[in-house]
Amino acid sequence: APAPVVASAAPPSVEIVVALVRLPAAQQGQTLNPAKLDNAIQRARRDGRIAPPIVVRRVRDGYLLLDGLYRLRAAQAIGMERIAATIEG
């Protein structure tokens, strides 16, 4: 019998340095919903990690955030030095 077809999994995540993550111009200075941010912070504290990983693209001086602004802000708020990220092409 033919082998079953397995759906491709999400790209693997890696740990990157929070300080190297840059925001796109559109997100710089963006006002975040305090309740959503507090929820993200509480979840990060409870779990001891950020999930799901943020999504970034490599740039010359680090990484550009594509998805996960609240998760990034939560990681910064609780003093995480590294964060799980999926790096897109």
Side-chain angles (χ1 to χ4, degrees):
V5 176
V6 178
S8 65
S13 66
V14 296
E15 294 270 316
I16 62 172
V17 177
V18 170
L20 294 180
V21 180
R22 311 279 178 254
L23 297 182
Q27 289 184 333
Q28 292 176 8
Q30 180 177 340
T31 302
L32 300 182
N33 176 319
K36 279 181 69 176
L37 181 57
D38 189 54
N39 282 343
I41 292 169
Q42 295 306 321
R43 190 169 47 250
R45 278 197 180 117
R46 182 186 67 231
D47 299 347
R49 64 188 179 97
I50 299 296
I54 64 171
V55 180
V56 297
R57 178 185 316 126
R58 281 188 205 281
V59 292
R60 190 177 68 238
D61 60 346
Y63 303 92
L64 182 67
L65 184 71
L66 301 178
D67 182 50
L69 180 58
Y70 282 90
R71 287 168 278 153
L72 176 64
R73 291 296 190 221
Q76 292 169 329
I78 66 172
M80 294 179 79
E81 292 183 15
R82 301 179 76 76
I83 188 170
T86 300
I87 301 173
E88 291 199 347

